[in-house]
Amino acid sequence: HHSTGYAGVVGSSSNVCIGGWMLGGGFGYWSRRYGLGIDNLLQIDIVLADGTQVAATRTNGYADLFWALRGAGQATLGVVTGFHYQLYPAHEELVLVTGRLPYQLAAHALTQLGVMEPHLSRSIHVTVNNQNDSDNEYEEEGLVLSFFCVGETEEVLMDCQGAIKDFLLSLI
């Protein structure tokens, strides 16, 4: 994004390719701010079973196919060969804070996140993952919480830091 100044919505897992992510809904770090990946789709290039190459959009003759792919894209509707999706100005201000909580705090932590979530800025994305890697002797088991914040100004980042601080204080 540095060369153009624009970026698209992206997923949060390095194990999922763009096709699987987009056609599976497309939840990622910027979803609270810009919507799911499928919300940002403008066109899907696809090869149909008869070999016809088409460009499906919201409004053209393949609109039904466009909407079907957005909801059941991993079904056998054809072979998707390309995506065209909305870009947004790339933000230089990013913060990612990740921490691990022991399982004993899991219920309380998830309850507190549920209380906070409706009040969080749309610039803040929170993920919760299970860390249960018995093969790794250096990592403790527990919940991994990540706060991802994106914004144009330092004020947005201060809001993010405040939300993280409030969450941590709620656990005491």
Side-chain angles (χ1 to χ4, degrees), residues 9-45:
V9 293
V10 295
S12 56
S13 173
S14 61
N15 298 330
V16 180
C17 70
I18 185 75
W21 174 78
M22 184 69 77
L23 296 176
F27 186 78
Y29 288 131
W30 288 12
S31 292
R32 285 179 53 85
R33 189 176 180 118
Y34 298 119
L36 299 173
I38 59 172
D39 297 328
N40 289 279
L41 270 176
L42 303 173
Q43 176 179 310
I44 303 171
D45 300 329

Side-chain angles (χ1 to χ4, degrees), residues 1-107:
H1 69 76
H2 291 292
S3 63
T4 64
Y6 291 91
V9 293
V10 295
S12 56
S13 173
S14 61
N15 298 330
V16 180
C17 70
I18 185 75
W21 174 78
M22 184 69 77
L23 296 176
F27 186 78
Y29 288 131
W30 288 12
S31 292
R32 285 179 53 85
R33 189 176 180 118
Y34 298 119
L36 299 173
I38 59 172
D39 297 328
N40 289 279
L41 270 176
L42 303 173
Q43 176 179 310
I44 303 171
D45 300 329
I46 185 168
V47 177
L48 303 178
D50 66 2
T52 307
Q53 296 180 0
V54 301
T57 70
R58 291 183 167 112
T59 58
N60 70 7
Y62 296 99
D64 286 347
L65 181 60
F66 177 82
W67 293 108
L69 288 165
R70 291 181 77 236
Q74 296 167 345
T76 55
L77 300 172
V79 177
V80 173
T81 59
F83 299 103
H84 302 255
Y85 54 94
Q86 179 67 44
L87 297 179
Y88 298 94
H91 302 288
E92 296 300 319
E93 305 294 333
L94 302 170
V95 173
L96 176 62
V97 177
T98 299
R100 183 175 294 108
L101 293 174
Y103 286 132
Q104 295 83 353
L105 291 176

